[in-house]
Amino acid sequence: MTDALKRLSDEGVAIWLDDLSRKRITSGNLAELIDQQHVVGVTTNPSIFQKAISHGDGYEQQLTDLATRKVTVDEAIRMITTADVRDAADILRPVFDATGGRDGRVSIEVDPRLAHHTHATIAEAKQLAWLVDRPNTLIKIPATKAGLPAITEVIGKGISVNVTLIFSLERYREVMNAYLAGLEKAQAAGLDLSRIHSVASFFVSRVDSEIDKRLDTIGTDEAKALKGKAALANARLAYQAYEEVFSSDRWAALDKAQANKQRPLWASTGVKDPAYKDTLYVVDLVAPGTVNTMPEATLEATADHGQVTGNTVAGTYEQARAELDAVAKLGISYDDVVQLLEDEGVEKFEASWIDLLNSTEAELKRLAPSEG
């Protein structure tokens, strides 16, 4: 084992785990990862919960109690998922306290079926914050067009937010603008800005998966030479946008009021193509003030053989722009790719949520006490 994870932390990258289950909580595994692997946060999503609850153990007693109470399946899911997030938040509370609220965070997502409904998303975010009732929670709101005003409104109420499913540079700038607008609302309402935190989850590997597929279809040597470059280029240009926005005059005014920067979070960092090194979206996206949320396999790979050589984003912007331009010159539409990925991202989470509802409903029926 190397100490690559410590070096990553020393470079200013917060290491978060992209997974959660009740077994991980009760077995002591999460506490162990915090203690030994420099993990300082946890992200969840509908797919993670669907896998944990449908295939995991530790849920039967709670499901039995919920079945006895005859709760709806939607209520059952929220009781189960918020219980896991609450327990994980308690385990991470010492990190939260030690970092002044910057890390030690656990994210929970609004119902993905609400991704295109602004007011319902706001209401759900408020409900989730109330249900979990931990200061180190982040409410995940997707970066859809309907999600943008929801981000502003929820931040404006003093609720910390993880903005998810960001694929495009234009949408990322809109997300940062929504965050700043939310801080300005919170400030006008007399709230303490130092207590509001946010991350912007910029998805990485899926960009390569889609663009590489199109490059393979073109099939020329020029196209093949660009494989595995677009995702890193996109993320690096996102960091350039982050540097610009958080050095602006608008930010400076909020900074004086003790506001916190919205950190870029690299999401979808598990490598999909076995031809690429399994630590690609970790070691090639090292920059201060970022978060990298990793599935456990990527965390283990980085700990085992990750080569952390310092900042790998600084000085790359010109090359990154050239690589995305080269992809565009081959007839691959960036706008088409990122919109497709956003649409697919929402659809996948919604499908996972519906699978979770169906499997939980079956369990509630199985465990329901007989009448009499």
Side-chain angles (χ1 to χ4, degrees):
M1 299 284 280
T2 69
D3 208 356
L5 295 174
K6 182 180 186 305
R7 289 204 297 278
L8 199 59
S9 295
D10 290 344
E11 288 292 337
V13 179
I15 299 166
W16 291 9
L17 177 70
D18 193 28
D19 191 52
L20 187 63
S21 67
R22 190 154 297 178
K23 186 175 181 181
R24 196 183 284 285
I25 291 165
T26 58
S27 68
N29 172 262
L30 178 57
E32 188 177 276
L33 291 173
I34 295 164
D35 186 51
Q36 299 177 17
Q37 300 283 57
H38 306 281
V39 169
V40 293
V42 168
T43 48
T44 68
N45 61 46
S47 299
I48 284 169
F49 278 129
Q50 191 269 332
K51 179 182 170 188
I53 298 167
S54 301
H55 308 294
D57 53 26
Y59 296 100
E60 181 127 341
Q61 185 57 60
Q62 189 178 11
L63 281 164
T64 300
D65 292 343
L66 292 166
T68 303
R69 289 174 50 213
K70 299 182 180 179
V71 304
T72 65
V73 65
D74 287 275
E75 186 182 352
I77 293 299
R78 276 310 180 205
M79 292 298 102
I80 293 166
T81 56
T82 53
D84 280 359
V85 168
R86 192 179 304 113
D87 288 345
D90 288 344
I91 293 168
L92 277 154
R93 184 60 189 262
V95 177
F96 173 82
D97 292 337
T99 60
R102 184 176 170 85
D103 286 306
R105 296 271 174 179
V106 186
S107 297
I108 184 168
E109 191 145 347
V110 297
D111 185 330
R113 294 171 296 178
L114 306 178
H116 301 297
H117 304 280
T118 302
H119 296 299
T121 293
I122 295 165
E124 171 98 339
K126 288 158 61 180
Q127 173 75 356
L128 282 175
W130 177 83
L131 269 176
V132 177
D133 193 26
R134 294 295 183 272
N136 50 331
T137 311
L138 290 171
I139 307 302
K140 289 181 84 173
I141 296 176
T144 56
K145 277 292 186 186
L148 294 170
I151 293 158
T152 296
E153 191 67 25
V154 173
I155 289 288
K157 293 184 181 303
I159 298 170
S160 294
V161 171
N162 175 344
V163 184
T164 188
L165 290 175
I166 308 171
F167 295 95
S168 87
L169 295 167
E170 180 184 0
R171 183 57 54 83
Y172 178 43
R173 286 184 180 274
E174 290 175 333
V175 165
M176 289 188 283
N177 180 64
Y179 174 62
L180 297 184
L183 289 176
E184 288 159 353
K185 282 189 77 135
Q187 186 177 32
L191 299 182
D192 180 357
L193 300 192
S194 71
R195 298 170 68 88
I196 304 171
H197 288 258
S198 183
V199 294
S201 295
F202 199 88
F203 279 54
V204 187
S205 68
R206 294 186 197 181
V207 174
D208 271 344
S209 296
E210 182 59 33
I211 289 182
D212 283 1
K213 184 169 65 177
R214 300 184 187 206
L215 291 169
D216 279 334
T217 300
I218 295 168
T220 62
D221 289 344
E222 184 184 8
K224 289 174 184 174
L226 287 168
K227 286 183 66 178
K229 296 186 185 300
L232 289 175
N234 199 38
R236 287 165 170 172
L237 291 173
Y239 192 79
Q240 181 185 34
Y242 158 77
E243 288 185 313
E244 288 173 6
V245 169
F246 289 99
S247 59
S248 66
D249 289 343
R250 184 183 183 189
W251 168 250
L254 290 163
D255 188 38
K256 282 181 185 170
Q258 271 71 58
N260 298 290
K261 291 179 181 178
Q262 181 186 55
R263 287 182 292 171
L265 179 150
W266 310 130
S268 182
T269 56
V271 172
K272 307 283 195 292
D273 190 331
Y276 304 151
K277 65 185 178 186
D278 53 4
T279 59
L280 179 67
Y281 305 125
V282 178
V283 300
D284 284 33
L285 286 175
V286 177
T290 59
V291 179
N292 196 307
T293 187
M294 309 177 206
E296 191 166 21
T298 304
L299 183 74
E300 289 175 352
T302 304
D304 182 63
H305 51 265
Q307 298 293 314
V308 179
T309 57
N311 189 325
T312 48
V313 173
T316 65
Y317 303 148
E318 192 175 332
Q319 179 67 25
R321 175 53 61 195
E323 286 165 350
L324 287 188
D325 287 347
V327 168
K329 282 176 186 170
L330 292 175
I332 296 172
S333 166
Y334 177 86
D335 290 343
D336 179 63
V337 167
V338 294
Q339 188 59 56
L340 174 71
L341 291 172
E342 180 186 304
D343 293 342
E344 284 184 350
V346 172
E347 287 165 10
K348 284 175 183 174
F349 282 167
E350 188 172 331
S352 293
W353 196 252
I354 290 168
D355 284 348
L356 176 56
L357 289 168
N358 291 337
S359 59
T360 302
E361 186 171 37
E363 282 295 282
L364 290 171
K365 284 177 180 174
R366 180 179 73 83
L367 296 166
S370 56
E371 293 296 329

